Amino acid sequence: IEHAQLPNSLITQNLQYLYHHSLAGSESSAQRVRQLVSDVQPNRTDLQTLIDMDVATSDICYAIFQGYLSVNLNQKMTLSTHIWR
């Protein structure tokens, strides 16, 4: 399948963004990010809060792309995107 044949949906765009921005992330960092989100009640935060906590965007994206954390891929990713465990 070629790139031009892929559906240009919001989910695909979000996955492409996460993939490309997760390349510098790591499993150990993803586990740390997951723990940070778990420590927040009710196990939910947003992208801006994690960035404000000096968490690297690559680590956040890695954690989401690899399934350590969840987001709603049907919504455009922004700084206010909700992230949960």
Side-chain angles (χ1 to χ4, degrees), residues 33-48:
V33 175
R34 180 175 61 182
Q35 187 59 51
L36 284 172
V37 173
S38 295
D39 291 344
V40 176
Q41 292 302 324
N43 295 328
R44 184 181 190 103
T45 190
D46 58 46
L47 185 56
Q48 183 65 60

Side-chain angles (χ1 to χ4, degrees), residues 14-78:
N14 284 332
L15 288 172
Q16 287 174 335
Y17 175 87
L18 290 169
Y19 172 77
H20 289 289
H21 287 85
S22 70
L23 295 176
S26 68
E27 184 173 347
S28 61
S29 295
Q31 290 173 349
R32 183 177 67 85
V33 175
R34 180 175 61 182
Q35 187 59 51
L36 284 172
V37 173
S38 295
D39 291 344
V40 176
Q41 292 302 324
N43 295 328
R44 184 181 190 103
T45 190
D46 58 46
L47 185 56
Q48 183 65 60
T49 299
L50 290 175
I51 291 170
D52 290 346
M53 296 170 71
D54 292 324
V55 178
T57 304
S58 59
D59 295 335
I60 299 167
C61 290
Y62 185 96
I64 296 167
F65 190 79
Q66 295 297 329
Y68 289 92
L69 296 171
S70 298
V71 297
N72 183 349
L73 293 173
N74 290 304
Q75 296 178 345
K76 181 174 175 61
M77 291 201 55
T78 67

